Amino acid sequence: MAPTILIIGATGNTGRSVTETLPKLLKTRTALSGHRVIGLTRSLDSPVAKQLAKLPGVEMVERNWVEITADWLREHEIVRAFIASHNEPNQFAEESSFHLAALRAGVKYVVRISTTAANVRPDCDAYYTRTHWAIEALLSSPEFNDLHWTSLQPNVFSPLYLSAAAEFIKQYRKTGKQDTLRLMASKDAPVGIIDPDEVGVLAAHLLSQDDPTVHNKAKYVLNGPEDITGNQIVNMVEQHTGTKVKDVIYKDMSFIDILYEHKFAATQESKNVVLSIKRAPETAWEGRCTSSTTSKEVLELAAPKRTPADVLRTLLEE
């Protein structure tokens, strides 16, 4: 075997672009030219996993990341890792277990995906944002000094933010009829939404650094290249449909109720905890999540380029 970089969630929102980008970058890095790349997936039979397995320098492995142990990391000679964890109520228990295993196994550097920077604090009302704060606090403790890390704090992902607009356009093109346009966005607050692929590209640049020490314990804020308001989303919808939108609901988080009923209602998870996700966009509605907050290191390493208009066009092609 050879020293290996592990990509957890290789087929996911951000992990896919990490897996696609990293092998290309490693070819240009003298210190890392002999490193392998392992992409982790729950199913080697998924279309994305099969596609990634064809990439030169990538080995796809079927394993649930929450079962990774220090022995497994040592056995596969993992020296660096990327992790995009789930955001369910047991996230802290499972993600912290991975970081502890990485520490015990002598992994040198981890890049992890956090969440909107304005929410990563102990008093945020949305439960999962407090989890990210707690993970970063754990990694910042003296006990974890031997494990270097960078936490990426991306703004809300643009496909999620624009999905309702895309579905509205598709439905109108199909039927010629309008339903209510429900937007997570507020009418007037500018938000620097970001394409998750570009978050993955930045992670790949960090993982491919000959010496990532300068990025140790860094928390980088990521936004897209330009802001968008709810009103501007409505304007884009009208441009694509060629007609005036009749009914808009802003700050709509009703999809969280649907998420709870379909995914959590039959479990023992607290409804109160899960529904706190509705509070997450409040900082964006207050105008605290604009593209101007992007960290300068992000702009230097891999500045995001995809605009909301670019992402909406992609969603309409799906």
Side-chain angles (χ1 to χ4, degrees), residues 43-58:
S43 173
L44 289 172
D45 292 327
S46 74
V48 177
K50 289 180 178 179
Q51 182 181 7
L52 294 175
K54 297 176 183 178
L55 296 175
V58 173

Side-chain angles (χ1 to χ4, degrees), residues 215-237:
H215 303 292
N216 183 31
K217 298 184 179 181
K219 304 169 189 176
Y220 292 146
V221 180
L222 286 78
N223 301 285
E226 63 183 45
D227 296 324
I228 191 165
T229 66
N231 191 51
Q232 289 172 321
I233 295 174
V234 173
N235 289 340
M236 286 200 302
V237 170

